[in-house]
Amino acid sequence: KAGVTQTPRYLIKTRGQQVTLSCSPISGHRSVSWYQQTPGQGLQFLFEYFSETQRNKGNFPGRFSGRQFSNSRSEMNVSTLELGDSALYLCASSQGTGSSYNEQFFGPGTRLTVL
Amino acid sequence: GDSVTQMEGPVTLSEEAFLTINCTYTATGYPSLFWYVQYPGEGLQLLLKATKADDKGSNKGFEATYRKETTSFHLEKGSVQVSDSAVYFCALSVEYNQGGKLIFGQGTELSVKP
């Protein structure tokens, strides 16, 4: 089974721009979660999508948004980029239901640099 | 709120030494507990998990036991190798309509010298 894939792997943007990151989950997984990883704040939960609906949300400003498509692929968008948005953005997929619903598998991440 | 605390790193060991990375948690409900590992330039890999009290998770020589009485989930390995050098994250997921949410500790960097 193919793992979680994320595109692009690296991005460089300037302040004020917006960016879209993409995540393809493991086949059969219906839940996709997004996390931000920074040296200062560590790993922080952004949001989770399940069957095209946002099921859970972390404590991030409205500039961070996401969506999920019918094939479970997910995108996250960050508008009006700030320097502090520079981070590794990780996507994780899981079945989303049943006894393994909270076992998540991570992609390699997208490294976003904001200049 | 829910939280995870790990011992601070970096931890530096010689090859074949015994490893312990401490992890304690605070949670409402009945959390599942995980250890993830991150190698340089990569995402997180699930190392092991435990879903209820007294469960022992194990994988690749690593072990951790879910101790509800001490709210701990310490990671151990009897004999580390250079290839174990990485950052290790302890995490919890609480079982109530938060299926997609993991709360992570700050990570512990392990460096194994030959």
Side-chain angles (χ1 to χ4, degrees):
Chain A
K1 235 181 206 183
V4 179
T5 59
Q6 292 187 246
T7 56
R9 291 293 310 278
Y10 302 92
L11 268 177
I12 299 175
K13 293 287 187 178
T14 56
R15 278 181 301 174
Q17 287 186 310
Q18 75 166 18
V19 67
T20 299
L21 282 53
S22 181
C23 171
S24 292
I26 292 170
S27 177
H29 284 189
R30 294 164 63 190
S31 170
V32 173
S33 298
W34 290 89
Y35 296 82
Q36 181 195 65
Q37 186 178 24
T38 60
Q41 299 298 317
L43 281 152
Q44 294 186 288
F45 172 79
L46 280 155
F47 29 65
E48 181 216 4
Y49 285 85
F50 178 78
S51 293
E52 302 179 65
T53 300
Q54 187 180 85
R55 183 163 70 172
N56 206 352
K57 188 177 186 302
N59 189 27
F60 277 80
R63 300 186 297 107
F64 292 81
S65 62
R67 58 178 176 168
Q68 186 179 35
F69 302 95
S70 58
N71 61 358
S72 294
R73 190 177 69 86
S74 177
E75 290 180 345
M76 68 163 281
N77 184 276
V78 188
S79 62
T80 319
L81 284 166
E82 300 176 0
L83 295 179
D85 297 333
S86 295
L88 181 67
Y89 289 88
L90 293 164
C91 165
S93 80
S94 69
Q95 292 179 348
T97 59
S99 60
S100 298
Y101 76 99
N102 54 7
E103 182 170 335
Q104 297 187 21
F105 298 87
F106 284 79
T110 294
R111 171 74 62 185
L112 172 64
T113 302
V114 182
L115 302 176
Chain B
D2 301 332
S3 66
V4 176
T5 302
Q6 289 180 236
M7 63 185 284
E8 288 193 21
V11 173
T12 302
L13 296 173
S14 297
E15 209 166 20
E16 299 184 2
F18 184 84
L19 168 71
T20 299
I21 300 178
N22 291 338
C23 170
T24 57
Y25 67 90
T26 302
T28 54
Y30 303 94
S32 295
L33 301 173
F34 305 86
W35 277 100
Y36 282 86
V37 59
Q38 186 175 35
Y39 298 99
E42 298 184 12
L44 301 177
Q45 295 179 26
L46 178 62
L47 183 59
L48 53 84
K49 68 173 184 177
T51 58
K52 62 183 187 296
D54 300 325
D55 266 3
K56 177 186 279 188
S58 62
N59 186 28
K60 299 180 182 179
F62 292 90
E63 291 184 341
T65 301
Y66 188 163
R67 302 285 188 201
K68 190 176 177 183
E69 63 276 12
T70 54
T71 61
S72 64
F73 192 54
H74 305 320
L75 182 68
E76 296 182 335
K77 187 176 186 184
S79 176
V80 294
Q81 305 299 314
V82 172
S83 57
D84 293 327
S85 298
V87 181
Y88 292 81
F89 293 91
C90 184
L92 69 82
S93 176
V94 185
E95 289 188 16
Y96 53 85
N97 200 33
Q98 292 189 33
K101 181 176 179 178
L102 289 172
I103 296 171
F104 288 90
Q106 67 269 40
T108 302
E109 182 181 359
L110 170 66
S111 177
V112 181
K113 307 298 184 185

